[in-house]
Amino acid sequence: MMYSLLREKVQNCQKYPKTQKVARAPLIHEGYPGQFNLSFSEYHWLQEYGNYVNFNHDHCISTIQSCIRLTDFPSIHREEGYWYLGVFELADVYGALSFARKVDYGLVYREQIRSFIDFLMQNSIPKESLYVSYCTGGSVAMLTKGKYSFNFVVPEDDFSKQAFLEEGILEENLIPDASRDTFLALHLYRPTLWGYRNEIFFNRGTKKHQKLLEIGTVEKLFWKPVYNGDTSDAKNIIRIEESANSSFFVTGIGLERLCMVTNNLERVHDIDYIKSFYDLIYTQTRRNNFLFGESLRALHRIYADILKFNISNLSKQRRYKINRLVRNVLESKFDQSKIQDLLKIHTITQPWHPELEEGIELTLRKINEYQNNSSSLQNSLENERRR
């Protein structure tokens, strides 16, 4: 299946009533200071509510987010790097649903799970190949490995477990978990709702020798943290309580990984819109340098967003991280005159991101500026040593 078709299918699948389609978040926004967009709703929460815990009206949206997770980069050139991308897309299935009222958690969450499994079935993913994690419950201290130590026992997420069984997931494919992978104890630079998460995996191996690839998550957040002191510091959380007026539900799918699975590909880099990019790299170097390729793809998306969203100021932390990506590009020793060709292919294959066309010139200029500045510094150091 072509990636563009999969993208279109997830956008057009049935959503929660009155869900609105919205534009994606910028890769650079205040929800992730010093970082890049990592998830689904933080940017929209800040735009709509100015916070992550007190919702004064319902806000149900659908979009396809772009994400850059820098912690993945060290793994890109390793054995497990076949599923990592420098920039990837995250889509909802049933909507990202923020409620400012008491809702029937069971009804909403069951519909989230049903729609998620239905969508996977429609895209030729057999239920017996799906594995789902769930929180077994326990003390907050145990689940968070001591990060939080206040006295609260988290119930087992039995509802999710039963809902997945009802949708045909095999009981033997349920994965009990007692960690923050399934218990979301969150503080995203400010007070954030807590709750449960289920991770959905596709088994690329056999029943005996499993090779699980995470392709999506289902989340429900409804506990509100209570602080003693400065709410910007997670250390000041002293308890959680069920929120009387704010809750959040979302199903998220990693579109590139799902495309990889539906097409039975060995690497996520082999999906159609990315493969042509790496084919050109291979013709130039006779090898696939994935760290170079993913660093360049991420840089192109970042600089294109800087222009698209008119971002004028970058923090020191972001500049440092961007420069690290530039160094990955330069250290590859790839023919610099051919980088423009790569960026053109990266643009042509993603018509859903038209801003990439304008981002080509800025990406090339920033790479050249960094290289020239580094050369000047190196020459100065050498001259100093000669004196």
Side-chain angles (χ1 to χ4, degrees):
M1 180 189 300
M2 298 285 288
Y3 184 80
S4 58
L5 177 58
L6 179 62
R7 211 173 182 276
E8 182 180 332
K9 288 176 72 172
V10 75
Q11 287 176 307
N12 293 331
C13 65
Q14 184 177 356
K15 310 294 182 183
Y16 181 80
K18 297 184 180 180
T19 295
Q20 300 175 333
K21 290 185 178 181
V22 299
R24 68 172 176 89
L27 281 167
I28 298 171
H29 62 81
E30 62 177 318
Y32 286 98
Q35 299 283 344
F36 304 97
N37 189 58
L38 287 172
S39 189
F40 206 91
S41 295
E42 291 74 20
Y43 172 78
H44 304 284
W45 280 339
L46 291 177
Q47 296 292 304
E48 199 71 19
Y49 305 121
N51 68 86
Y52 297 164
V53 292
N54 293 310
F55 306 156
N56 55 21
H57 60 279
D58 294 352
H59 187 55
C60 301
I61 63 171
S62 178
T63 193
I64 298 178
Q65 301 289 22
S66 297
C67 302
I68 292 177
R69 190 162 49 211
L70 292 173
T71 54
D72 289 347
F73 275 81
S75 300
I76 286 174
H77 62 284
R78 297 175 184 164
E79 183 179 354
E80 70 273 21
Y82 70 89
W83 68 71
Y84 287 120
L85 291 172
V87 56
F88 61 93
E89 294 198 305
L90 182 65
D92 68 275
V93 178
Y94 191 61
L97 314 177
S98 303
F99 295 110
R101 54 190 167 87
K102 200 76 171 178
V103 296
D104 186 334
Y105 293 164
L107 179 63
V108 174
Y109 206 56
R110 182 173 279 106
E111 275 301 300
Q112 289 272 24
I113 290 172
R114 183 201 58 76
S115 66
F116 193 105
I117 300 301
D118 282 353
F119 183 75
L120 294 179
M121 298 305 100
Q122 292 165 17
N123 289 281
S124 305
I125 306 296
K127 289 181 182 180
E128 59 270 20
S129 295
L130 294 176
Y131 288 68
V132 179
S133 64
Y134 70 94
C135 182
T136 58
S139 70
V140 164
M142 183 270 289
L143 292 172
T144 65
K145 291 183 169 55
K147 180 175 176 63
Y148 301 101
S149 58
F150 56 85
N151 185 25
F152 185 84
V153 176
V154 177
E156 181 183 70
D157 187 15
D158 185 65
F159 177 83
S160 295
K161 182 169 67 170
Q162 295 305 318
F164 278 107
L165 289 172
E166 290 171 10
E167 292 303 321
I169 301 301
L170 300 177
E171 186 166 11
E172 63 201 67
N173 289 6
L174 295 178
I175 305 170
D177 179 80
S179 74
R180 293 180 67 187
D181 288 340
T182 53
F183 174 61
L184 295 180
L186 301 173
H187 181 86
L188 302 176
Y189 306 97
R190 65 195 76 212
T192 310
L193 291 174
W194 291 27
Y196 293 115
R197 173 169 62 188
N198 305 104
E199 299 170 301
I200 291 85
F201 302 89
F202 176 80
N203 183 14
R204 302 179 68 240
T206 64
K207 206 71 172 171
K208 185 176 181 180
H209 300 289
Q210 297 173 7
K211 194 174 183 181
L212 300 184
L213 173 68
E214 184 184 349
I215 58 174
T217 64
V218 187
E219 299 177 10
K220 58 177 182 288
L221 309 180
F222 54 90
W223 281 305
K224 182 178 179 180
V226 177
Y227 293 73
N228 181 19
D230 183 5
T231 59
S232 67
D233 191 343
K235 294 179 181 178
N236 293 328
I237 297 175
I238 58 173
R239 69 177 187 274
I240 56 174
E241 56 189 29
E242 187 169 340
S243 176
N245 65 349
S246 301
S247 59
F248 176 69
F249 304 84
V250 70
T251 47
I253 282 186
L255 285 182
E256 287 91 350
R257 289 188 185 181
L258 181 58
C259 189
M260 168 189 168
V261 168
T262 58
N263 288 289
N264 196 28
L265 301 174
E266 287 299 313
R267 300 189 66 95
V268 69
H269 311 88
D270 291 333
I271 67 174
D272 56 284
Y273 92 84
I274 300 176
K275 186 176 185 303
S276 54
F277 177 87
Y278 279 101
D279 284 346
L280 181 57
I281 292 177
Y282 189 82
T283 61
Q284 297 296 322
T285 64
R286 310 311 298 174
R287 68 188 184 95
N288 280 321
N289 186 331
F290 295 109
L291 182 61
F292 158 69
E294 292 309 303
S295 297
L296 182 60
R297 290 200 326 109
L299 283 171
H300 190 193
R301 290 295 314 278
I302 289 168
Y303 286 126
D305 265 22
I306 285 174
L307 295 175
K308 175 184 175 70
F309 295 100
N310 194 27
I311 298 168
S312 56
N313 293 313
L314 290 174
S315 67
K316 181 179 179 180
Q317 296 96 324
R318 284 198 181 106
R319 291 198 305 272
Y320 173 83
K321 289 161 185 171
I322 290 172
N323 286 341
R324 177 65 263 184
L325 295 175
V326 174
R327 289 198 297 274
N328 289 344
V329 170
L330 294 175
E331 288 168 4
S332 72
K333 307 300 183 183
F334 188 83
D335 185 347
Q336 299 298 298
S337 66
K338 301 296 184 183
I339 287 182
Q340 184 171 357
D341 295 335
L342 286 173
L343 297 179
K344 286 180 178 178
I345 286 181
H346 196 233
T347 299
I348 294 169
T349 55
Q350 297 179 85
W352 47 88
H353 291 309
E355 67 276 4
L356 287 173
E357 177 67 36
E358 190 176 0
I360 292 176
E361 191 277 331
L362 181 59
T363 304
L364 292 170
R365 176 155 53 86
K366 290 297 184 180
I367 291 173
N368 289 332
E369 284 178 2
Y370 185 90
Q371 185 177 37
N372 292 336
N373 290 338
S374 297
S375 297
S376 297
L377 177 60
Q378 184 65 32
N379 290 336
S380 296
L381 291 173
E382 289 178 0
N383 291 334
E384 286 294 325
R385 283 196 293 268
R386 292 193 186 102
R387 291 176 182 175

